[in-house]
Amino acid sequence: MSDSPSSQAADHSSLHDEAVQAYQAGHHDLVQALADRILAEDADHVGAIHLRGLLAFASGHAQDALRWLERAIQIRPEPILYNTLYAIRLKLGDFTGAVQSIRQGLALQPDFVAFHYNLALTLQHLGNLEGAAVSYRRTLELEPGHSAAHNNLGRVYADLGALEEAEQHYRRAIELAPANLVARNNLAMALLATGRYEEAWPYFEDRWFGFKLADGTPMRVPLEVPLPRWMGESAPNGHDAQTARAPDGRLLVLHEQGLGDSLQFVRYLPLALKHFRQVGYLCPPPLHRLYAQSLCSRWPGLVLLDAVPTDLSSWDQYIPLMSMPWAFATRVATVPAALPYLHADGGLAGVWRGRLDALPDPRLPRVGVVWAGGHSGFHLDALRSLAAAQFAPLLALTHVHWISLQKADDPAKLPDAATRARLIDWTDEISDFADTAALIDNLDLVISVDTSVAHLAAAMGKPVWLLNRFAGCWRWLYGRDDSPWYPGLRVFTQTRRGDWSDVLARVAAALTQTFPAHDNAS
């Protein structure tokens, strides 16, 4: 005698519950066996079909997963199915479809917290900050203790330039989850952007959580080596120099983040020689020649290393480079800003000088330009960069020799034919930052987006006009057009998010005022 429909349904329900538990435990082979057993007897069992979709998704077969989920929804739409469908479409890069999936799920279950949170995440990724803020706020109405939602809403507010509101949400996120390192790092950025360095630096120590390795995967542990961490113990000062011991020991400084970060913070290496007789820095290859000629030639106690030594026995302590401002108790008023601390090789600079002097109208001002940052995979690169066509109106000013300093990691960032015709472009002959420094040494001004060349030129003491995105990087300070880090730097910040036209108009007016055309007439 065969089982009754009701007993078969009960059996399938029991098997499904067992399969769900197995999935949560990571026993995928058992999940598939149980799901297939159910489907052999009930081909329209939505729960089993959903599990097959989850298995396909977990194994990296997103298209197969999509087919399973579409089949389940066709049989019986359920809110949880749309949440999985959202994740699959997101993985496939179908952001429009992902948003549609969430909205379909919300129509069935308007108070499902995950729907509102995931919708906010996606809208934030797509740059719809106002829409994301609405969805994060709804998430928090339904679940006030949602730490990640507080953090992300804080980031949205920060990107909208509302740093006070951002700070409030970051702090609430940390109260709810003290181990929320993303929120701690974001709070550091907000505090730094408003000049509260003393309070910010301890939170800034959690910046590593946002780092990515060369293959794009997130870092799992802080940047460190098996040595005692130097925290900035007091060094001898002028009042007790006669009785204080001479600096001793050796400090290993670890490179982190981008080349611009290195160019900004290497100013601390000579200061560390007041604490240690030798300071070693793990130097990125593109900066090695520049630092050797600028720093090591002046301070013999500085050495540049290509990698972490396999034998650390001769080193006493270590510190990540970007922890040095905290070690030196840096405040806005005490930023070590004596310029220049980087300089060009005289011979290399002389070669460029000869070529520039041979140009027609040699009295025209020489202005170096960078309109796009490097690292196109960096999520903020599109916000800080201009297309060559956007930058072209500035190059229409004819009483200037425009010198390209633009090195591109993406062909889309290279100048088009019309832009190239207005540029003097020798960048193919530049192999590292020592070459770039030699060219910059002969310029009157550098106009650059927020990228490494701006740091290099400013560290050389050259006038730099920085094209700064709306709600830009913390280091340029919110609401200021000057910089304590580089006294010769002038900041031109977007007044509207994503709008470069106003910035370029202000720069063009400043150029005309600084270099009047009639002063350069033959």
Side-chain angles (χ1 to χ4, degrees), residues 70-399:
E70 288 175 340
R71 175 180 164 186
I73 288 171
Q74 187 176 18
I75 296 168
R76 187 176 66 253
E78 295 180 356
I80 191 63
L81 300 179
Y82 285 105
N83 200 47
T84 303
L85 184 62
Y86 154 81
I88 294 168
R89 285 178 167 165
L90 206 62
K91 180 69 173 180
L92 292 169
D94 179 10
F95 296 104
T96 300
V99 170
Q100 181 185 15
S101 298
I102 290 292
R103 296 198 186 282
Q104 288 172 315
L106 281 170
L108 296 175
Q109 191 171 347
D111 292 339
F112 189 27
V113 172
F115 282 150
H116 292 285
Y117 180 72
N118 288 337
L119 178 59
L121 278 177
T122 309
L123 293 175
Q124 184 178 10
H125 175 80
L126 295 174
N128 182 353
L129 299 184
E130 291 79 5
V134 170
S135 292
Y136 281 131
R137 285 194 291 265
R138 181 58 180 149
T139 301
L140 292 171
E141 288 174 3
L142 295 169
E143 188 178 327
H146 200 305
S147 177
H150 275 291
N151 171 67
N152 292 347
L153 180 55
R155 183 57 187 268
V156 168
Y157 278 128
D159 288 343
L160 291 171
L163 288 183
E164 184 176 344
E165 291 86 347
E167 180 183 341
Q168 291 172 359
H169 283 284
Y170 294 149
R171 291 191 184 280
R172 181 58 178 150
I174 295 167
E175 288 174 2
L176 292 166
N180 188 335
L181 301 186
V182 177
R184 290 179 59 84
N185 181 51
N186 285 340
L187 177 58
M189 303 300 175
L191 294 171
L192 290 168
T194 51
R196 288 176 286 170
Y197 285 7
E198 183 176 7
E199 186 180 0
W201 296 129
Y203 289 104
F204 194 57
E205 287 300 292
D206 290 312
R207 64 191 176 276
W208 65 271
F209 197 74
F211 291 0
K212 290 188 176 180
L213 302 174
D215 61 2
T217 58
M219 287 188 67
R220 301 299 181 191
V221 295
L223 188 66
E224 57 189 5
V225 294
L227 287 171
R229 168 71 180 268
W230 184 56
M231 301 299 292
E233 291 79 8
S234 298
N237 57 49
H239 298 292
D240 58 3
Q242 292 183 347
T243 59
R245 292 189 302 109
D248 197 11
R250 303 178 73 193
L251 177 69
L252 184 64
V253 181
L254 306 181
H255 171 72
E256 54 178 318
Q257 299 201 51
L259 300 178
D261 299 295
S262 178
L263 289 159
Q264 180 178 2
F265 292 111
V266 289
R267 68 183 73 204
Y268 287 96
L269 298 183
L271 300 181
L273 288 172
K274 297 178 181 179
H275 301 244
F276 298 90
R277 63 180 173 84
Q278 189 171 60
V279 174
Y281 173 54
L282 270 68
C283 183
L287 296 169
H288 194 284
R289 192 160 59 119
L290 172 69
Y291 289 174
Q293 70 195 25
S294 296
L295 302 175
C296 298
S297 62
R298 183 176 177 186
W299 290 283
L302 296 178
V303 295
L304 304 177
L305 307 173
D306 296 326
V308 176
T310 53
D311 180 6
L312 292 170
S313 61
S314 60
W315 296 93
D316 299 292
Q317 298 184 69
Y318 86 96
I319 186 172
L321 178 65
M322 295 179 71
S323 292
M324 297 192 84
W326 188 24
F328 285 94
T330 303
R331 311 290 180 267
V332 169
T334 64
V335 169
L339 300 177
Y341 58 86
L342 298 178
H343 60 81
D345 175 80
L348 288 175
V351 173
W352 289 118
R353 186 177 308 113
R355 296 178 67 175
L356 288 163
D357 288 346
L359 294 173
D361 298 319
R363 291 183 298 165
L364 291 180
R366 303 163 179 176
V367 180
V369 290
V370 181
W371 56 84
H375 304 291
S376 295
F378 177 47
H379 70 287
L380 291 175
D381 186 61
L383 294 176
R384 69 174 176 174
S385 298
L386 289 81
Q390 288 177 286
F391 194 76
L394 189 63
L395 303 182
L397 296 176
T398 57
H399 61 286

